[in-house]
Amino acid sequence: MLLVQLLTKKSEFYQQLLMILLFWGFIVYSVYTELNISFYGMLGSLILIGAVGFYLIRFQLKNRVGVRPQLIWNLNNNRVQKNIFWIGIPFLVLTLLTLFHFYIVYKSGTSLEPLYWDYGIGGILGLALYIFQFKTRMIGICDEGILTGYKLELKLITWNHIQDAVIKDDTLTITFKQFFPISSMTIHINDEFGKNFKTLLEYKVGNIS
């Protein structure tokens, strides 16, 4: 039995919002004097961010379900394409917050060197996490739907989110409904995993065109 996150638009929004709130909390703590915010104002802001963050984390923990994978495999040369909307918007917000952070510190006349260290270390840790996730990407099928993600954080896509499944040139392409966090999957069906994946998918959703 595996405990996995149920992937929905709401869960993805909450996850991205949590990341942005934590980043905003770091900025508020770092430059509250430059923003002319009192210590107690800053503390109140952090408490509010913490309360919202607690709710978001609680939701994510309750949004987990237990599944028994019938088939699970390393992603290898198969592909899971995320929806550009769910990548682009958070990236834009974080970029604007970063620029705002540097601008406030620069305008105050304070040295930017501590920011270089903070963002440099954060960038290195982020890169290490990305490499880990990239090397441990998984895909599979269970009774409830399709599993995807990396080894320590698998997510479940239920069958009702699938829009279409088409086979062309030994490639199975699965597309999902509009604005879903994942837009498509491409599975090569000329190997053991692909053949089994296709068979199980047909059993769950019917004939594939």
Side-chain angles (χ1 to χ4, degrees):
M1 179 74 72
L2 283 178
L3 196 61
V4 298
Q5 182 79 32
L6 184 62
L7 182 59
T8 63
K9 288 184 282 189
K10 183 177 181 179
S11 70
E12 185 69 13
F13 173 73
Y14 278 9
Q15 181 172 314
Q16 300 295 347
L17 180 59
L18 177 62
M19 177 177 62
I20 291 170
L21 279 176
L22 292 176
F23 189 53
W24 174 242
F26 161 69
I27 293 176
V28 169
Y29 175 77
S30 176
V31 297
Y32 73 93
T33 53
E34 288 82 357
L35 293 173
N36 294 320
I37 300 175
S38 68
F39 172 79
Y40 293 105
M42 178 274 294
L43 187 60
S45 298
L46 293 184
I47 291 174
L48 179 60
I49 290 171
V52 176
F54 175 78
Y55 169 79
L56 296 178
I57 292 173
R58 186 169 175 267
F59 170 84
Q60 298 289 39
L61 291 175
K62 292 177 67 175
N63 193 44
R64 292 177 176 268
V65 295
V67 299
R68 295 185 183 278
Q70 298 180 21
L71 179 70
I72 191 164
W73 212 268
N74 292 327
L75 188 61
N76 296 330
N77 61 337
N78 301 304
R79 185 183 180 192
V80 175
Q81 179 64 49
K82 292 185 177 181
N83 192 320
I84 191 65
F85 174 84
W86 294 99
I87 298 175
I89 298 300
F91 176 78
L92 177 61
V93 172
L94 292 175
T95 299
L96 291 175
L97 288 177
T98 300
L99 293 175
F100 170 78
H101 195 184
F102 273 86
Y103 172 75
I104 292 298
V105 173
Y106 172 78
K107 188 178 179 181
S108 69
T110 308
S111 172
L112 293 174
E113 185 175 350
L115 289 186
Y116 296 144
W117 280 100
D118 289 341
Y119 282 91
I121 293 173
I124 292 172
L125 293 175
L127 179 61
L129 178 61
Y130 173 78
I131 293 173
F132 171 77
Q133 292 176 336
F134 183 82
K135 289 182 176 294
T136 60
R137 295 175 302 167
M138 310 288 288
I139 190 168
I141 279 184
C142 60
D143 283 339
E144 296 79 3
I146 300 175
L147 298 169
T148 184
Y150 65 98
K151 193 171 184 179
L152 297 180
E153 192 184 2
L154 285 172
K155 297 185 177 183
L156 171 67
I157 304 173
T158 54
W159 303 117
N160 60 299
H161 292 297
I162 294 178
Q163 179 172 290
D164 200 7
V166 177
I167 293 178
K168 183 178 180 181
D169 299 331
D170 292 331
T171 299
L172 167 63
T173 301
I174 305 169
T175 55
F176 299 91
K177 294 182 178 178
Q178 191 175 24
F179 295 126
F180 192 69
I182 292 176
S183 60
S184 66
M185 289 181 177
T186 303
I187 310 296
H188 298 286
I189 56 175
N190 55 357
D191 57 17
E192 179 186 356
F193 169 76
K195 291 174 183 177
N196 290 331
F197 190 97
K198 172 181 172 293
T199 300
L200 288 171
L201 187 67
E202 285 180 324
Y203 176 73
K204 296 298 182 181
V205 303
N207 292 328
I208 300 172
S209 58

